[in-house]
Amino acid sequence: MSQVFRVVNTYYEDFESYDCVFTFKTIRFWLCLISLAFFILAMLWRFEAFAIPHVNVSLSNRTIFIFLLEFCFLMSCFSLNLLRDEIVVSRMQKKLKTNEKKLSKLKLIWLQKTVGVGMDGYLSLAKELDQLLDLRKKHNNNFSPSLQTIVHLIYTSDAKNRILALFISVSAATVALSISAGSNINDVFSFIQETGWYQFFILDATIAFGIFASVVGIRLMAWMVYVALYKISDKVKGVNDIDHFRVSLFINQLLLAYTFKKAKITVSVDENN
């Protein structure tokens, strides 16, 4: 299987790695970092973690300022990702000796030239890799001292379920504390009657948008941190090392490229005709 993991690692380096853009030589990377820094500072300013002398801005205007900076951060991240794709396309056109400009088509060409099975065999290969990952995870020595182990302690894809469970628990605890403090459903209806349905709808939509924007911003920040940590852990990986993240990306691409075998359809002829 060492040859398979060589293929997986090569695929990651060719198509998925951000090493070509996550560098201080890239202007868009600097823009991404600067917009992120201002975005974080704006949030701290909004929640009055610090004050700017001789600047008097209302909390509502500070909130609008946060959303504007988050939009800049969002656009810088998308721009950085587009730059990565442009670099990958240019590099793979030379490597594969083709004029194809679509990244998805270049991935298909790469698989056809690199993987030693046909497109109808990608599903079997994906299943074998997935089973191998499960066995590796089941019998892995979690106490081995390595940089990759430390990174996994900080963040793993499996942590999403634990974070969601923690969020639900906190929400349930908040509701329970509110009820114990004497709040009930009548308070909600009283609030709606006082503010009016239209204003309540606007308030509800604003809160929903704020939560959505906050989640997007946090996810992008987590993405940048994860890529940076992953880039550091890359330094200690060998070409034959098993990596769950890389194998998952490769499995996903195999599933996208998988095609069924051509079916042989037998046409029955009616003897009466």
Side-chain angles (χ1 to χ4, degrees):
M1 292 295 290
S2 61
Q3 183 63 29
V4 175
F5 290 118
R6 281 179 177 268
V7 173
V8 171
N9 289 331
T10 302
Y11 168 80
Y12 176 81
E13 296 297 334
D14 283 346
F15 290 102
E16 305 293 346
S17 176
Y18 281 87
D19 287 348
C20 56
V21 292
F22 266 65
T23 171
F24 293 114
K25 298 180 181 179
T26 306
I27 297 178
R28 296 191 195 185
F29 181 64
W30 275 107
L31 293 176
C32 202
L33 289 179
I34 293 172
S35 60
L36 174 60
F38 277 108
F39 174 49
I40 295 175
L41 290 175
M43 286 193 297
L44 295 175
W45 184 44
R46 165 61 179 81
F47 294 104
E48 300 180 339
F50 67 93
I52 301 177
H54 309 295
V55 176
N56 187 14
V57 181
S58 64
L59 293 179
S60 59
N61 289 333
R62 293 185 188 185
T63 303
I64 295 174
F65 188 58
I66 288 178
F67 287 132
L68 291 176
L69 288 175
E70 182 181 4
F71 178 76
C72 294
F73 174 56
L74 181 66
M75 292 299 101
S76 63
C77 288
F78 286 156
S79 177
L80 191 66
N81 195 72
L82 288 175
L83 177 62
R84 193 280 304 264
D85 291 347
E86 292 173 2
I87 294 175
V88 168
V89 168
S90 177
R91 184 174 62 222
M92 296 312 298
Q93 282 179 332
K94 297 178 182 178
K95 183 175 182 178
L96 299 175
K97 297 179 180 179
T98 178
N99 294 324
E100 179 60 54
K101 296 181 179 180
K102 291 185 178 180
L103 185 59
S104 58
K105 294 292 184 63
L106 288 171
K107 290 181 179 180
L108 291 178
I109 296 173
W110 187 94
L111 287 175
Q112 292 171 359
K113 291 187 176 182
T114 308
V115 180
V117 296
M119 297 179 68
D120 56 341
Y122 291 166
L123 181 59
S124 299
L125 179 58
K127 290 181 178 179
E128 291 179 8
L129 288 172
D130 188 55
Q131 293 174 357
L132 184 61
L133 283 178
D134 290 339
L135 290 173
R136 175 79 175 186
K137 183 178 179 180
K138 181 179 179 181
H139 300 285
N140 186 32
N141 180 13
N142 294 323
F143 298 100
S144 58
S146 65
L147 180 59
Q148 187 175 356
T149 303
I150 297 174
V151 172
H152 284 174
L153 289 175
I154 298 174
Y155 175 80
T156 61
S157 58
D158 297 335
K160 296 177 182 178
N161 295 330
R162 293 194 295 270
I163 294 173
L164 179 59
L166 178 62
F167 175 77
I168 295 175
S169 300
V170 172
S171 300
T174 302
V175 173
L177 290 174
S178 299
I179 294 175
S180 64
S183 299
N184 53 54
I185 193 63
N186 293 326
D187 295 333
V188 177
F189 289 116
S190 298
F191 175 77
I192 295 175
Q193 290 177 355
E194 292 176 359
T195 58
W197 283 101
Y198 178 75
Q199 293 182 355
F200 176 77
F201 175 78
I202 296 298
L203 178 62
D204 185 58
T206 302
I207 294 175
F209 175 77
I211 294 175
F212 171 76
S214 300
V215 170
V216 172
I218 292 173
R219 284 179 63 90
L220 285 176
M221 286 189 287
W223 167 74
M224 288 198 67
V225 173
Y226 182 82
V227 171
L229 291 174
Y230 192 83
K231 184 176 180 180
I232 295 174
S233 66
D234 269 351
K235 305 301 180 182
V236 296
K237 288 188 178 74
V239 69
N240 293 323
D241 285 348
I242 300 175
D243 186 283
H244 187 280
F245 178 64
R246 293 187 178 190
V247 175
S248 296
L249 290 174
F250 187 71
I251 289 176
N252 183 62
Q253 183 55 42
L254 287 175
L255 297 177
L256 290 174
Y258 170 73
T259 57
F260 289 101
K261 290 183 179 180
K262 292 183 178 180
K264 296 181 180 180
I265 301 175
T266 303
V267 180
S268 59
V269 179
D270 190 352
E271 295 180 356
N272 295 327
N273 294 333

